[in-house]
Amino acid sequence: MWYGQCSSLDAKVWQRIKNRGPDCMHTVQINDDNVELSFCGAVLWMQGPKPVVQPIENDHGVLLYNGDIFDDKWDRNCNDAEVIMEKISNQGEYSENQIINILKLLKGPFSLIYYDKKSGNLYFTRDRMGRISLLFHKKENSFIISSVLGREYNCIEIPATYIYKINLKTCLITLHSWTNDTIRKQYVLENWLEENDQQQNLPDDQFSFEFDTSIDLSTEDGVVQSIETAMKINDCKISFMKNLMKNFIIQETIHNLRELLEKSVKHIVRLLVGFYY
């Protein structure tokens, strides 16, 4: 997706997008109050009874979506992108809160971009685990958001920690928390980019991230202390992991995680296989 004036260099991005999705390709151009947008989509068909051309456009907005939604309540005979667009465009509830709340309910690996024609707001995000890439490149009077770029682009990987909204007239970006409706941060776009660029280029030993301080780790039977002790006495990563596995709580946690992963894989395979029979 491009915002602003396209250049010949950007054609390389479009070619990379085409290489990722050979089944159908499409573009949508929007010019609104001196704002020029280009939405480009290439689809690799894996779900639904037939390929669905992207971007999807209706009277409310434009949607670009990449990923898989794993939700038993969804009609598996419909394409995920079509269902998302239908939910966002609900006539009776269409609003900024509706858009944000729909995005919060999505389950699975995905990234997406949605443009609200009425407000001029551009929403973009990827799932909370960051399983699918979404990159942001800023030029002087334009920017590109894409699942693929090239080495010639100075870009950041959009953090998976928020749902983002840019007002294209003011270039103010608002960060919406996945879990708390009251937590919202607002930045000038350049400041947000600079902060993330600095954070993503820090050495490993200086990297930090926000942590939910409401979680009480003191009740976990010395797990934190076990980890800290193992870190101090083990320079070798293999020895470090072996010593951690001596802690029963850590063993139990890994066992539970393995069971959840196995259930998840079975569920995903069952859904995907269902499309071919």
Side-chain angles (χ1 to χ4, degrees), residues 248-263:
F248 173 77
I249 300 298
I250 293 177
Q251 289 181 25
E252 190 71 15
T253 300
I254 293 174
H255 174 73
N256 292 338
L257 177 60
R258 179 177 177 177
E259 285 192 340
L260 289 172
L261 287 173
E262 288 178 351
K263 290 180 180 178

Side-chain angles (χ1 to χ4, degrees), residues 24 43 45-53 77-79 82 275:
C24 52
V43 175
W45 177 34
M46 296 181 66
Q47 288 196 19
K50 65 181 187 302
V52 173
V53 175
N77 292 317
C78 295
N79 182 274
E82 291 179 306
F275 290 118

Side-chain angles (χ1 to χ4, degrees), residues 168-230:
L168 298 180
K169 296 177 182 178
T170 64
C171 275
L172 290 176
I173 181 169
T174 304
L175 284 56
H176 294 261
S177 169
W178 282 102
T179 57
N180 192 322
D181 293 336
T182 63
I183 297 179
R184 297 183 182 182
K185 301 179 180 180
Q186 193 170 72
Y187 293 82
V188 174
L189 179 58
E190 286 78 6
N191 294 343
W192 173 74
L193 286 168
E194 182 179 359
E195 181 177 302
N196 280 283
D197 184 61
Q198 292 176 351
Q199 184 82 349
Q200 292 179 12
N201 284 286
L202 284 174
D204 290 345
D205 59 346
Q206 296 181 27
F207 184 79
S208 63
F209 59 92
E210 296 179 8
F211 183 75
D212 186 354
T213 55
S214 65
I215 300 175
D216 184 10
L217 294 175
S218 62
T219 60
E220 294 299 325
D221 296 333
V223 171
V224 175
Q225 289 77 10
S226 296
I227 295 173
E228 291 178 342
T229 300

Side-chain angles (χ1 to χ4, degrees), residues 100-114:
I100 295 295
N101 289 335
I102 290 298
L103 299 184
K104 288 182 178 181
L105 294 175
L106 301 182
K107 302 175 182 178
F110 70 89
S111 63
L112 64 78
I113 300 169
Y114 178 74

